[in-house]
């Protein structure tokens, strides 16, 4: 990444090189690996406030900010167009998954599955905070698959399609909030690239994600994850922070091979001797130092 070392975005960047595809992969990942359906089954989007909270933390969040600000090129209008191209199918797919969620709920034990859903969000928070910690934590998709196996109750269950209009509306609202968040970041990109510390926002987002599982488990945290995210966004804006200087520092920082890109480029250029180094081209035995008490031949 250009100005951020976001662990999730960096891991996904290995699979795609195009910035639009990278944004699509980052924003659609909760739909692909089952995190968003898990949030629906756990009751995280049962009300509009919860849907807004999930939209900002799951579909938006620090990974989306890092991709838009650090990877995407072009004017704010061009970036906003890319966000819309990615976001509209995202909203439609989120509505479909919200419509199918009650059908899946009829064959699983929700009390057991909620614990696995909370564990998934805690794993995502750990992946967001540190790439080193994330190496020792299973992939969220694996945790969700294990949760489905552990909570599956096929005996006596009837797999029938049941659509809840309110749940579909809240699921669509969650995805829409995430897309609106990405649009806001794209439009305000020139300002945010200059005055926003992306890594500071990343750690604040990890804290907000860490509070979300406690809220899912019924603890008295309510909208604390949303409040933590808003505080992280405010604290990450620093008028004295120079984003361009941070970008240049990262581009010239030492690489794992022991040198920076600038050092390697300079290493191939022949060194031209400086004329000031040999302004007096004297014989090695000649000493022009005028020191009292010293023999002239020394």
């Amino acid at each position: 990444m250009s100005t951020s070392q976001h662990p999730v975005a960096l891991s996904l960047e290995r699979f795609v090189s195009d910035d639009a595809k990278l944004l699509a992969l980052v924003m659609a990942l909760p739909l692909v690996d089952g995190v968003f359906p898990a949030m629906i089954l756990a009751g995280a989007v049962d009300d509009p406030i919860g849907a807004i909270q999930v939209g900002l933390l799951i579909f938006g969040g620090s990974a989306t900010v890092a991709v838009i600000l650090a990877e995407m090129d072009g004017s704010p209008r061009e970036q906003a167009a890319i966000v819309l191209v990615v976001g509209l199918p995202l909203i439609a797919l989120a509505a479909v998954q919200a419509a199918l969620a009650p059908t899946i709920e009829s064959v699983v034990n929700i009390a057991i599955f909620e614990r696995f859903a909370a564990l998934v969000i805690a794993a995502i928070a750990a992946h967001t905070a540190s790439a080193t910690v994330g190496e020792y934590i299973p992939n969220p998709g694996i945790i969700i698959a294990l949760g489905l196996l552990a909570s599956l109750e096929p005996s006596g269950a009837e797999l029938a399609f049941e659509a809840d209009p309110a749940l579909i509306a809240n699921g669509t609202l969650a995805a829409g909030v995430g897309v609106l968040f990405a649009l806001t970041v794209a439009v305000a990109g020139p300002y945010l690239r200059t005055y926003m510390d992306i890594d500071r926002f990343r750690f604040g987002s990890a804290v907000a994600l860490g509070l979300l599982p406690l809220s899912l488990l019924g603890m008295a945290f309510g909208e604390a994850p949303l409040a933590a995210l808003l505080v992280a966004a405010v604290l990450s804006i620093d008028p004295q922070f120079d984003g361009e200087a941070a970008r240049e520092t990262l581009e010239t920082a030492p690489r794992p091979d022991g040198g920076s890109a600038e050092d390697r480029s300079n290493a191939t250029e022949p060194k031209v001797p400086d004329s000031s180094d040999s302004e007096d081209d004297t014989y090695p035995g000649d000493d022009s130092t005028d020191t009292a008490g010293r023999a002239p031949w020394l």
Side-chain angles (χ1 to χ4, degrees):
M1 308 288 289
S2 299
T3 58
S4 175
Q5 300 295 322
H6 196 287
V8 177
L10 283 174
S11 62
L12 296 177
E13 193 178 18
R14 302 171 186 172
F15 301 100
V16 292
S17 57
D18 184 68
D19 52 0
K21 294 180 181 179
L22 180 60
L23 178 65
L25 186 58
V26 167
M27 295 190 68
L29 189 62
L31 302 175
V32 176
D33 60 10
V35 172
F36 182 62
M39 293 294 97
I40 297 176
L41 294 177
V45 296
D46 287 345
D47 56 273
I49 299 298
I52 294 174
Q53 187 168 255
V54 170
L56 290 175
L57 290 173
I58 302 300
F59 292 109
S62 58
T64 300
V65 172
V67 171
I68 294 176
L69 297 183
E71 289 297 319
M72 295 182 64
D73 299 323
S75 64
R77 179 176 296 181
E78 294 172 346
Q79 294 180 4
I82 294 176
V83 171
L84 287 177
V85 170
V86 171
L88 293 180
L90 182 77
I91 296 174
L93 185 57
V96 172
Q97 291 191 355
L100 295 176
T103 304
I104 302 175
E105 185 178 1
S106 63
V107 296
V108 298
N109 188 330
I110 295 300
I112 298 176
F113 188 79
E114 283 180 352
R115 294 178 174 85
F116 282 90
L119 186 60
V120 166
I121 300 302
I124 296 176
H127 279 281
T128 301
S130 173
T132 304
V133 176
E135 293 178 355
Y136 301 96
I137 298 177
N139 186 275
I142 297 177
I143 299 176
I144 292 175
L146 294 175
L148 286 175
L149 290 175
S151 60
L152 188 63
E153 292 182 345
S155 59
E158 296 182 359
L159 190 61
F161 178 74
E162 299 177 2
D164 186 354
L167 192 60
I168 296 175
N170 289 335
T172 306
L173 175 62
V177 168
V179 175
L180 181 61
F181 174 80
L183 276 175
T184 304
V185 174
V187 172
Y191 175 83
L192 296 178
R193 287 185 183 91
T194 304
Y195 299 111
M196 184 178 187
D197 190 339
I198 303 178
D199 288 326
R200 187 184 299 175
F201 178 73
R202 171 169 64 92
F203 285 110
S205 179
V207 173
L209 283 170
L211 293 175
L212 185 57
L214 302 178
S215 179
L216 292 178
L217 294 176
M219 298 184 182
F221 281 88
E223 288 75 38
L226 181 59
L229 184 66
L230 294 177
V231 171
V234 172
L235 295 180
S236 63
I237 303 297
D238 187 1
Q240 298 180 352
F241 179 76
D242 192 348
E244 297 296 331
R247 182 180 296 109
E248 294 176 359
T249 301
L250 285 176
E251 290 176 353
T252 58
R255 305 295 178 88
D257 55 1
S260 63
E262 183 179 356
D263 295 337
R264 289 197 299 269
S265 62
N266 293 336
T268 58
E269 298 178 0
K271 183 177 181 181
V272 180
D274 191 358
S275 59
S276 61
D277 295 340
S278 58
E279 59 180 359
D280 293 328
D281 195 9
T282 60
Y283 187 76
D286 298 337
D287 191 348
S288 59
T289 305
D290 187 10
T291 305
R294 186 174 183 181
W297 56 83
L298 297 178

